[in-house]
Amino acid sequence: MSRNVLIFGERGNQIRELITAARLVVEGGSTVAAVVNDSALAEEVSASGIAAVNITSAGLNKADVAAVARALQAVASNKDAAVVIVSADRRGRLVGSYLAQLMNAAFISNTDRVACTDDIICTRNTLGGMLCAEQKSLAANQVIAISAKVYDEAPSSSGGSVEELQDSFEAGGVSLIAESSKDTSVADITEADVLVVVGSGVEKDYLDQVQAIADKLSGLVACTKPVATDRKWYSEELVIGISGKTCKPSLALLFGVSGQVQFYAGIRDAKVIAAIDKDQNALITGLADYVLIADTTDAIPGIGAAL
Amino acid sequence: MEIIVAMKQVPDLQQVRLKNKEAVLEGVPLTFGDIDKRALEAAVQLRDTHEGTVHLLSIGNEELEDTAKEALAGGADAATLLISDEFADLDSAQVAQYLAAAIKDMDDYDAVLFGEASGDNYSGQVASRVAAILGYPLIGYAQKISYENGSVTVECSYESKVETVVAACPAVISVVSDIAEPRIPAVTAILKAGKKPKEIMDETDVGIDEASAVIETLSALAPDDNRKCEVVDDVGALIGALKAEKIL
């Protein structure tokens, strides 16, 4: 069943991952990527052999979700695309879900796999990460948000093109008045081969030693959500879980992590999980490969010294 | 400042057990999700600063009246509850239609607050859909909200940056966890919660005979987690095991 697919993302690497996903469902149809007021990005993604549309509308700002969604709706209509694939980051989810309402479409968020039969079957976590669900659209149109790093980036290929779409779109009433970068020193934990994870069972005095362990293992420090949002010890960018990042390291070394399902959904695909926690009844003891029942105040210095 | 807070009734995930890879939800109490509670707290703080009311809006089955007491004890002044057996298993598009229809019938308000996503499904789409249906400005992932002269100024937290935006009210705003720490209600607040005004509506009251589902869930099973679950005696044994795995 041939389908035309529209892609929306904000970065080249992200869009190239979405192109790979689109190629799994397009089945002879066409793939088009839309970008907003960014000719360089349009050129970059067209190098993967697809058509890129640069929406150049005066006054269209990315913070105005409704206006961006209306622009994408126009492109989807123009390209006869009933399937829209967006990144499952915050902007992608926001724009994608608004667009879904405009298109009377299903919105399937945080998709970890797409497969094609007569329908597009999307696999995603549900019930706080406890279950893995297969879902499909009942509507003629669908918007699918694909999680980062699920698919490899599409390679360079010939045959791409760039076109400009100059039009005006109804504004959504949101004006951008300032923007600032978050701490750019925060590393991307989804890229790490080794993650040393801080949970609520770790005392603050031991964070330097945890970092030293991560350094010795050439890994990165990550954390559970309460450690970032409640204790504010780390950036939200380092949170693993259904409301944070999904990571697939070779080793996840967990200190003081109880193993709530919302966390585990983000580390489930680690090759080896080793957990250190003083509670022998903690959920994590049934979810790890190796479990050391110990107080983190003893285990952290011990492991630091042993490495 | 008149604020509606839309909160979703979700199962208490700590009490959900698995049987044959399926979730056993029978007997599991329903609650409001953590991020929704933070949205409520943000609304209560705005109300306390600017005066006005906080109005809870939620949809669900007959247990919702009990669940709503949590939010009324947590600072909401009144509640509109959409309750019907038909509302027990809706998809997000259906929920958005019902909520938007209810909001249209509510008195003047300045903002509709949502958590960025629910604690169970975490798809984060109802706020966007409601904004699209109502035609109101949509602001996502708010970490700080200010209100002045009929407009909101909001700091929005994206992965790599913070955007500050402004919009005229009424606006639909989804919030991130950072925005506020939910309060623990005092005993007096819990006792007063049952006496706060509540309006109960069903599908006929909101004027929608039937909202069509747009998603079908074909299966929902616990994934295979074939971990070794090997308990080691000490740090040396752990290091040894990881070396044997050729991870170290």
Side-chain angles (χ1 to χ4, degrees):
Chain A
M1 179 181 172
S2 172
R3 301 179 182 91
N4 295 339
V5 177
L6 172 65
I7 290 170
F8 173 70
E10 291 190 300
R11 298 188 309 278
N13 61 336
Q14 184 185 65
I15 292 173
R16 283 189 289 275
E17 290 177 17
L18 301 182
I19 292 170
T20 302
R23 286 177 174 155
L24 295 173
V25 302
V26 73
E27 299 195 331
S30 63
T31 302
V32 179
V35 302
V36 175
N37 290 329
D38 196 336
S39 56
L41 181 58
E43 286 289 346
E44 180 187 340
V45 300
S46 70
S48 294
I50 63 160
V53 177
N54 183 25
I55 304 164
T56 54
S57 173
L60 179 61
N61 76 80
K62 289 181 180 178
D64 191 342
V65 173
V68 173
R70 289 185 186 115
L72 293 175
Q73 183 187 22
V75 177
S77 174
N78 181 254
K79 301 296 180 184
D80 197 22
V83 179
V84 181
I85 294 180
V86 301
S87 56
D89 60 0
R90 289 181 168 179
R91 181 92 66 200
R93 289 197 299 261
L94 209 54
V95 171
S97 52
Y98 198 102
L99 175 61
Q101 187 62 39
L102 295 179
M103 294 176 68
N104 295 317
F107 178 66
I108 303 180
S109 186
N110 302 326
T111 297
D112 293 324
R113 186 169 68 241
V114 288
C116 230
T117 55
D118 289 340
D119 302 299
I120 300 172
I121 309 299
C122 299
T123 304
R124 65 185 299 273
N125 285 316
T126 58
L127 202 62
M130 189 174 283
L131 304 181
C132 201
E134 288 189 336
Q135 297 180 325
K136 70 170 189 174
S137 171
L138 295 173
N141 296 328
Q142 56 192 305
V143 181
I144 303 168
I146 305 270
S147 302
K149 314 289 182 189
V150 168
Y151 293 107
D152 294 336
E153 293 181 32
S156 296
S157 177
S158 60
S161 62
V162 175
E163 65 179 277
E164 301 278 322
L165 172 64
Q166 290 185 319
D167 206 341
S168 59
F169 302 96
E170 183 186 345
V174 177
S175 302
L176 178 65
I177 57 173
E179 62 182 306
S180 58
S181 295
K182 287 186 175 174
D183 184 358
T184 52
S185 66
V186 176
D188 183 358
I189 57 172
T190 65
E191 298 282 2
D193 194 48
V194 174
L195 284 174
V196 182
V197 184
V198 174
S200 297
V202 173
E203 294 180 15
K204 191 174 184 181
D205 290 346
Y206 289 81
L207 298 186
D208 287 346
Q209 293 185 54
V210 171
Q211 183 63 57
I213 290 170
D215 292 343
K216 283 182 179 177
L217 296 173
S218 300
L220 294 174
V221 172
C223 64
T224 60
K225 191 169 180 68
V227 168
T229 59
D230 297 341
R231 298 186 183 180
K232 303 195 184 303
W233 291 351
Y234 294 107
S235 160
E236 270 193 88
E237 300 306 300
L238 300 183
V239 172
I240 291 173
I242 194 161
S243 59
K245 302 277 177 66
T246 299
C247 302
K248 302 175 181 177
S250 297
L251 171 62
L253 184 57
L254 315 182
F255 288 110
V257 174
S258 64
Q260 297 300 323
V261 67
Q262 297 95 325
F263 164 81
Y264 187 70
I267 201 74
R268 177 176 278 141
D269 292 331
K271 185 178 174 192
V272 173
I273 297 176
I276 297 94
D277 195 82
K278 66 181 178 184
D279 181 2
Q280 62 182 357
N281 296 317
L283 290 171
I284 199 64
T285 59
L287 299 169
D289 295 290
Y290 300 102
V291 179
L292 173 60
I293 306 299
D295 198 307
T296 54
T297 56
D298 296 324
I300 291 171
I303 289 175
L307 290 173
Chain B
M1 187 179 187
E2 303 298 322
I3 307 167
I4 298 169
V5 183
M7 300 177 73
K8 183 181 178 186
Q9 194 185 27
V10 296
D12 182 347
L13 296 177
Q14 311 301 329
Q15 300 195 41
V16 178
R17 295 290 173 263
L18 295 171
K19 186 176 181 184
N20 298 327
K21 300 179 76 173
E22 294 186 349
V24 180
L25 295 172
E26 193 178 334
V28 174
L30 297 167
T31 181
F32 288 128
D34 177 68
I35 304 178
D36 287 0
K37 290 176 184 171
R38 291 167 187 264
L40 172 65
E41 178 61 30
V44 169
Q45 290 178 14
L46 283 165
R47 177 205 61 194
D48 291 347
T49 303
H50 300 284
E51 298 186 344
T53 59
V54 172
H55 200 112
L56 164 68
L57 174 63
S58 190
I59 182 168
N61 63 14
E62 60 187 12
E63 293 177 51
L64 182 57
E65 259 193 280
D66 267 349
T67 311
K69 288 177 187 166
E70 271 185 76
L72 293 165
D77 300 294
T80 295
L81 306 176
L82 312 184
I83 296 178
S84 166
D85 290 343
E86 303 298 316
F87 295 159
D89 195 22
L90 302 176
D91 73 17
S92 299
Q94 293 170 301
V95 168
Q97 285 189 60
Y98 285 116
L99 294 186
I103 291 168
K104 281 177 187 170
D105 281 344
M106 294 169 78
D107 292 336
D108 288 346
Y109 50 87
D110 298 293
V112 186
L113 264 56
F114 289 80
E116 63 166 292
S118 62
D120 56 350
N121 200 31
Y122 208 79
S123 72
Q125 58 181 298
V126 176
S128 300
R129 287 184 181 274
V130 166
I133 294 168
L134 296 174
Y136 293 150
L138 170 65
I139 301 171
Y141 303 102
Q143 64 177 18
K144 185 178 178 186
I145 303 171
S146 309
Y147 172 76
E148 191 175 7
N149 297 329
S151 70
V152 284
T153 301
V154 182
E155 287 183 8
C156 304
S157 175
Y158 289 93
E159 282 81 358
S160 60
K161 63 182 176 181
V162 174
E163 293 180 350
T164 304
V165 301
V166 63
C169 296
V172 174
I173 305 170
S174 73
V175 308
V176 296
S177 296
D178 269 356
I179 195 156
E181 188 76 24
R183 69 186 61 191
I184 298 170
V187 174
T188 50
I190 294 169
L191 294 173
K192 287 178 183 173
K195 296 173 183 167
K196 290 185 176 179
K198 284 191 301 249
E199 183 179 10
I200 312 292
M201 304 173 78
D202 61 18
E203 55 269 53
T204 308
D205 296 324
V206 293
I208 296 177
D209 291 336
E210 187 182 352
S212 298
V214 294
I215 289 179
E216 179 180 355
T217 296
L218 305 170
S219 67
L221 298 170
D224 292 320
D225 290 316
N226 298 317
R227 296 289 173 184
K228 295 185 177 79
C229 302
E230 185 178 322
V231 177
V232 297
D233 292 334
D234 52 30
V235 166
L238 179 61
I239 299 291
L242 296 178
K243 284 182 175 173
E245 291 269 7
K246 302 191 189 309
I247 296 287
L248 296 183

